[in-house]
Amino acid sequence: MSEKIISKDKIKEWIDVLMQSHTVVAPIERKDAPAEFREIKPGDEPIIDGSKSMMPPKDWLLPRYETLFKVSKGAEGAQVEPAVPECKPTVMLGMWLPDAAAIRVLDRVFLDDKFKDPYYAARRENTVLVAVMPAEKRWSWFCNSVDDVETWKDSVDVLMYDLGDKFYVEGISAKGEEIIAGAYFTESNEADTIARNQVWDLFAKCDKLPFAGKALYDNLAWEDPIWAEISQKCLACGMCSYMCPSCSCFDIQDETNGLCTERYRCRDTCQFEDFTLMGAGHNPRNNQLPRSRQRLLHKFKYQHEQFGVVGCTGCGRCVELCPVNVDIRDVLTRTCSKERAEEPVKAD
């Protein structure tokens, strides 16, 4: 692993060089909305220091709307037009490290040995991930309470630390080393390394919450009365899952226009009433209580059972943006407390 320095006044030149051989994607600021990961165009000013609120990078790898294929009827019969994207090598800049760890969760879902998704794979397998450690951590982060964040460095190809007027850059993988091999990078010195360690410690060694280190998958219980409490507050707006970097629920629909039918995939969430609505009219989660329970159990219990990872990296978006202040940190703290186990259980 190489360790280098790049001055912030050289970032634009570095990106210009990358754009000659790669699609370069980074958060682009929007008016009155979190920055969004988009392909950088000439004149754009991407945010790569991690200082601003941003949409999750999954929006690039798993678009909110995507055509899967089209079927057209003509004189020669039905013609099927596949829509698997042909992606040139891509570099994604500016994501937080917990977002990169969340992509590792998405990889388990969409690149599983049994069910490899060709649409996700076409983008993901050609993508170099460059994460950033901002100079100041966000108030809502609780990353070191859900996992050993040291292991997350293996989720990225390059890790950058904001040191003010420059970035400390670590090449993690061979693909990462290739894109930081240019003349814009210089050798780091001891003072740079000390500053890098301070930024890392701010993230990795901050105070842990009471549930840290506990086996959450063993502590979240189906009968816990907290699900009823959450469901009474929840508006089912879906903000928590749409903004979550690891939530991956989707729906598939057909749209017919004349002789052409398009099958598309679009973002969905287990918090919506019709997510589990069956064709015959039965809905096994016909009120908000089982839907609120499903989201937390899926993240911390079912995904651990299936893939060996938890589906939350503590990015805090759901904490910051929930319109009724449902705080996942509070839910996990109370669920894992001894006192909680003694509370009476309410009927479902």
PDB file of all heavy atoms in Angstrom, residues 13-29:
ATOM      1  N   GLU A  13      -6.838  19.008 -11.831  1.00  0.00           N
ATOM      2  CA  GLU A  13      -5.978  18.466 -12.888  1.00  0.00           C
ATOM      3  C   GLU A  13      -5.979  16.935 -12.843  1.00  0.00           C
ATOM      4  O   GLU A  13      -5.979  16.269 -13.883  1.00  0.00           O
ATOM      5  CB  GLU A  13      -4.560  19.004 -12.721  1.00  0.00           C
ATOM      6  CG  GLU A  13      -4.460  20.526 -12.905  1.00  0.00           C
ATOM      7  CD  GLU A  13      -3.075  21.039 -12.583  1.00  0.00           C
ATOM      8  OE1 GLU A  13      -2.114  20.560 -13.214  1.00  0.00           O
ATOM      9  OE2 GLU A  13      -2.949  21.911 -11.702  1.00  0.00           O
ATOM     10  N   TRP A  14      -5.957  16.383 -11.618  1.00  0.00           N
ATOM     11  CA  TRP A  14      -5.991  14.918 -11.483  1.00  0.00           C
ATOM     12  C   TRP A  14      -7.289  14.348 -12.061  1.00  0.00           C
ATOM     13  O   TRP A  14      -7.270  13.364 -12.805  1.00  0.00           O
ATOM     14  CB  TRP A  14      -5.848  14.551 -10.001  1.00  0.00           C
ATOM     15  CG  TRP A  14      -5.964  13.089  -9.717  1.00  0.00           C
ATOM     16  CD1 TRP A  14      -5.349  12.066 -10.379  1.00  0.00           C
ATOM     17  CD2 TRP A  14      -6.767  12.475  -8.702  1.00  0.00           C
ATOM     18  NE1 TRP A  14      -5.705  10.849  -9.824  1.00  0.00           N
ATOM     19  CE2 TRP A  14      -6.570  11.074  -8.797  1.00  0.00           C
ATOM     20  CE3 TRP A  14      -7.602  12.967  -7.706  1.00  0.00           C
ATOM     21  CZ2 TRP A  14      -7.197  10.169  -7.932  1.00  0.00           C
ATOM     22  CZ3 TRP A  14      -8.229  12.067  -6.851  1.00  0.00           C
ATOM     23  CH2 TRP A  14      -8.023  10.683  -6.970  1.00  0.00           C
ATOM     24  N   ILE A  15      -8.402  15.002 -11.732  1.00  0.00           N
ATOM     25  CA  ILE A  15      -9.691  14.529 -12.251  1.00  0.00           C
ATOM     26  C   ILE A  15      -9.728  14.643 -13.774  1.00  0.00           C
ATOM     27  O   ILE A  15     -10.238  13.743 -14.466  1.00  0.00           O
ATOM     28  CB  ILE A  15     -10.848  15.313 -11.598  1.00  0.00           C
ATOM     29  CG1 ILE A  15     -10.965  14.949 -10.115  1.00  0.00           C
ATOM     30  CG2 ILE A  15     -12.168  15.040 -12.316  1.00  0.00           C
ATOM     31  CD1 ILE A  15     -12.021  15.741  -9.366  1.00  0.00           C
ATOM     32  N   ASP A  16      -9.199  15.712 -14.320  1.00  0.00           N
ATOM     33  CA  ASP A  16      -9.162  15.870 -15.784  1.00  0.00           C
ATOM     34  C   ASP A  16      -8.403  14.714 -16.435  1.00  0.00           C
ATOM     35  O   ASP A  16      -8.810  14.209 -17.502  1.00  0.00           O
ATOM     36  CB  ASP A  16      -8.514  17.204 -16.151  1.00  0.00           C
ATOM     37  CG  ASP A  16      -9.417  18.388 -15.846  1.00  0.00           C
ATOM     38  OD1 ASP A  16     -10.633  18.187 -15.663  1.00  0.00           O
ATOM     39  OD2 ASP A  16      -8.899  19.529 -15.792  1.00  0.00           O
ATOM     40  N   VAL A  17      -7.317  14.286 -15.826  1.00  0.00           N
ATOM     41  CA  VAL A  17      -6.557  13.157 -16.357  1.00  0.00           C
ATOM     42  C   VAL A  17      -7.376  11.865 -16.248  1.00  0.00           C
ATOM     43  O   VAL A  17      -7.433  11.063 -17.195  1.00  0.00           O
ATOM     44  CB  VAL A  17      -5.211  13.012 -15.621  1.00  0.00           C
ATOM     45  CG1 VAL A  17      -4.524  11.699 -16.012  1.00  0.00           C
ATOM     46  CG2 VAL A  17      -4.309  14.192 -15.942  1.00  0.00           C
ATOM     47  N   LEU A  18      -8.037  11.674 -15.113  1.00  0.00           N
ATOM     48  CA  LEU A  18      -8.867  10.479 -14.941  1.00  0.00           C
ATOM     49  C   LEU A  18      -9.975  10.418 -15.986  1.00  0.00           C
ATOM     50  O   LEU A  18     -10.313   9.344 -16.496  1.00  0.00           O
ATOM     51  CB  LEU A  18      -9.491  10.460 -13.538  1.00  0.00           C
ATOM     52  CG  LEU A  18      -8.559  10.179 -12.350  1.00  0.00           C
ATOM     53  CD1 LEU A  18      -9.332  10.301 -11.037  1.00  0.00           C
ATOM     54  CD2 LEU A  18      -7.937   8.789 -12.465  1.00  0.00           C
ATOM     55  N   MET A  19     -10.535  11.581 -16.329  1.00  0.00           N
ATOM     56  CA  MET A  19     -11.658  11.624 -17.267  1.00  0.00           C
ATOM     57  C   MET A  19     -11.249  11.227 -18.681  1.00  0.00           C
ATOM     58  O   MET A  19     -12.110  10.922 -19.506  1.00  0.00           O
ATOM     59  CB  MET A  19     -12.278  13.033 -17.267  1.00  0.00           C
ATOM     60  CG  MET A  19     -13.015  13.376 -15.978  1.00  0.00           C
ATOM     61  SD  MET A  19     -13.546  15.106 -15.870  1.00  0.00           S
ATOM     62  CE  MET A  19     -14.744  15.186 -17.203  1.00  0.00           C
ATOM     63  N   GLN A  20      -9.955  11.203 -18.962  1.00  0.00           N
ATOM     64  CA  GLN A  20      -9.505  10.775 -20.289  1.00  0.00           C
ATOM     65  C   GLN A  20      -9.656   9.261 -20.476  1.00  0.00           C
ATOM     66  O   GLN A  20      -9.760   8.777 -21.592  1.00  0.00           O
ATOM     67  CB  GLN A  20      -8.048  11.182 -20.480  1.00  0.00           C
ATOM     68  CG  GLN A  20      -7.834  12.686 -20.519  1.00  0.00           C
ATOM     69  CD  GLN A  20      -6.369  13.073 -20.590  1.00  0.00           C
ATOM     70  OE1 GLN A  20      -5.508  12.219 -20.840  1.00  0.00           O
ATOM     71  NE2 GLN A  20      -6.059  14.341 -20.372  1.00  0.00           N
ATOM     72  N   SER A  21      -9.659   8.519 -19.363  1.00  0.00           N
ATOM     73  CA  SER A  21      -9.719   7.063 -19.465  1.00  0.00           C
ATOM     74  C   SER A  21     -10.879   6.440 -18.689  1.00  0.00           C
ATOM     75  O   SER A  21     -11.156   5.245 -18.849  1.00  0.00           O
ATOM     76  CB  SER A  21      -8.411   6.450 -18.949  1.00  0.00           C
ATOM     77  OG  SER A  21      -8.127   6.903 -17.630  1.00  0.00           O
ATOM     78  N   HIS A  22     -11.538   7.243 -17.842  1.00  0.00           N
ATOM     79  CA  HIS A  22     -12.606   6.712 -16.992  1.00  0.00           C
ATOM     80  C   HIS A  22     -13.826   7.635 -17.035  1.00  0.00           C
ATOM     81  O   HIS A  22     -13.707   8.830 -17.304  1.00  0.00           O
ATOM     82  CB  HIS A  22     -12.168   6.618 -15.526  1.00  0.00           C
ATOM     83  CG  HIS A  22     -11.063   5.640 -15.258  1.00  0.00           C
ATOM     84  ND1 HIS A  22      -9.751   5.881 -15.605  1.00  0.00           N
ATOM     85  CD2 HIS A  22     -11.085   4.419 -14.660  1.00  0.00           C
ATOM     86  CE1 HIS A  22      -9.001   4.850 -15.230  1.00  0.00           C
ATOM     87  NE2 HIS A  22      -9.781   3.951 -14.662  1.00  0.00           N
ATOM     88  N   THR A  23     -14.975   7.053 -16.723  1.00  0.00           N
ATOM     89  CA  THR A  23     -16.113   7.857 -16.291  1.00  0.00           C
ATOM     90  C   THR A  23     -15.852   8.208 -14.828  1.00  0.00           C
ATOM     91  O   THR A  23     -15.591   7.321 -14.011  1.00  0.00           O
ATOM     92  CB  THR A  23     -17.424   7.061 -16.393  1.00  0.00           C
ATOM     93  OG1 THR A  23     -17.645   6.711 -17.767  1.00  0.00           O
ATOM     94  CG2 THR A  23     -18.597   7.866 -15.868  1.00  0.00           C
ATOM     95  N   VAL A  24     -15.874   9.492 -14.514  1.00  0.00           N
ATOM     96  CA  VAL A  24     -15.594   9.914 -13.144  1.00  0.00           C
ATOM     97  C   VAL A  24     -16.901  10.397 -12.508  1.00  0.00           C
ATOM     98  O   VAL A  24     -17.570  11.294 -13.046  1.00  0.00           O
ATOM     99  CB  VAL A  24     -14.529  11.024 -13.089  1.00  0.00           C
ATOM    100  CG1 VAL A  24     -14.253  11.423 -11.635  1.00  0.00           C
ATOM    101  CG2 VAL A  24     -13.244  10.542 -13.760  1.00  0.00           C
ATOM    102  N   VAL A  25     -17.245   9.790 -11.395  1.00  0.00           N
ATOM    103  CA  VAL A  25     -18.504  10.074 -10.703  1.00  0.00           C
ATOM    104  C   VAL A  25     -18.188  10.627  -9.310  1.00  0.00           C
ATOM    105  O   VAL A  25     -17.299  10.115  -8.625  1.00  0.00           O
ATOM    106  CB  VAL A  25     -19.361   8.791 -10.581  1.00  0.00           C
ATOM    107  CG1 VAL A  25     -20.635   9.054  -9.796  1.00  0.00           C
ATOM    108  CG2 VAL A  25     -19.675   8.238 -11.959  1.00  0.00           C
ATOM    109  N   ALA A  26     -18.906  11.669  -8.916  1.00  0.00           N
ATOM    110  CA  ALA A  26     -18.670  12.285  -7.603  1.00  0.00           C
ATOM    111  C   ALA A  26     -19.906  13.057  -7.186  1.00  0.00           C
ATOM    112  O   ALA A  26     -20.776  13.347  -8.012  1.00  0.00           O
ATOM    113  CB  ALA A  26     -17.456  13.214  -7.668  1.00  0.00           C
ATOM    114  N   PRO A  27     -20.009  13.405  -5.896  1.00  0.00           N
ATOM    115  CA  PRO A  27     -21.166  14.200  -5.447  1.00  0.00           C
ATOM    116  C   PRO A  27     -21.135  15.599  -6.070  1.00  0.00           C
ATOM    117  O   PRO A  27     -20.123  16.288  -6.019  1.00  0.00           O
ATOM    118  CB  PRO A  27     -20.980  14.281  -3.930  1.00  0.00           C
ATOM    119  CG  PRO A  27     -20.030  13.184  -3.577  1.00  0.00           C
ATOM    120  CD  PRO A  27     -19.137  13.031  -4.769  1.00  0.00           C
ATOM    121  N   ILE A  28     -22.264  15.978  -6.662  1.00  0.00           N
ATOM    122  CA  ILE A  28     -22.429  17.314  -7.229  1.00  0.00           C
ATOM    123  C   ILE A  28     -23.515  18.023  -6.421  1.00  0.00           C
ATOM    124  O   ILE A  28     -24.615  17.486  -6.254  1.00  0.00           O
ATOM    125  CB  ILE A  28     -22.841  17.261  -8.713  1.00  0.00           C
ATOM    126  CG1 ILE A  28     -21.816  16.454  -9.517  1.00  0.00           C
ATOM    127  CG2 ILE A  28     -22.984  18.673  -9.269  1.00  0.00           C
ATOM    128  CD1 ILE A  28     -20.439  17.051  -9.608  1.00  0.00           C
ATOM    129  N   GLU A  29     -23.222  19.197  -5.936  1.00  0.00           N
ATOM    130  CA  GLU A  29     -24.157  19.900  -5.066  1.00  0.00           C
ATOM    131  C   GLU A  29     -25.408  20.307  -5.839  1.00  0.00           C
ATOM    132  O   GLU A  29     -25.342  20.668  -7.019  1.00  0.00           O
ATOM    133  CB  GLU A  29     -23.487  21.132  -4.462  1.00  0.00           C
ATOM    134  CG  GLU A  29     -24.221  21.670  -3.251  1.00  0.00           C
ATOM    135  CD  GLU A  29     -23.333  22.545  -2.378  1.00  0.00           C
ATOM    136  OE1 GLU A  29     -22.291  23.018  -2.868  1.00  0.00           O
ATOM    137  OE2 GLU A  29     -23.688  22.747  -1.221  1.00  0.00           O
TER     138      GLU A  29
END
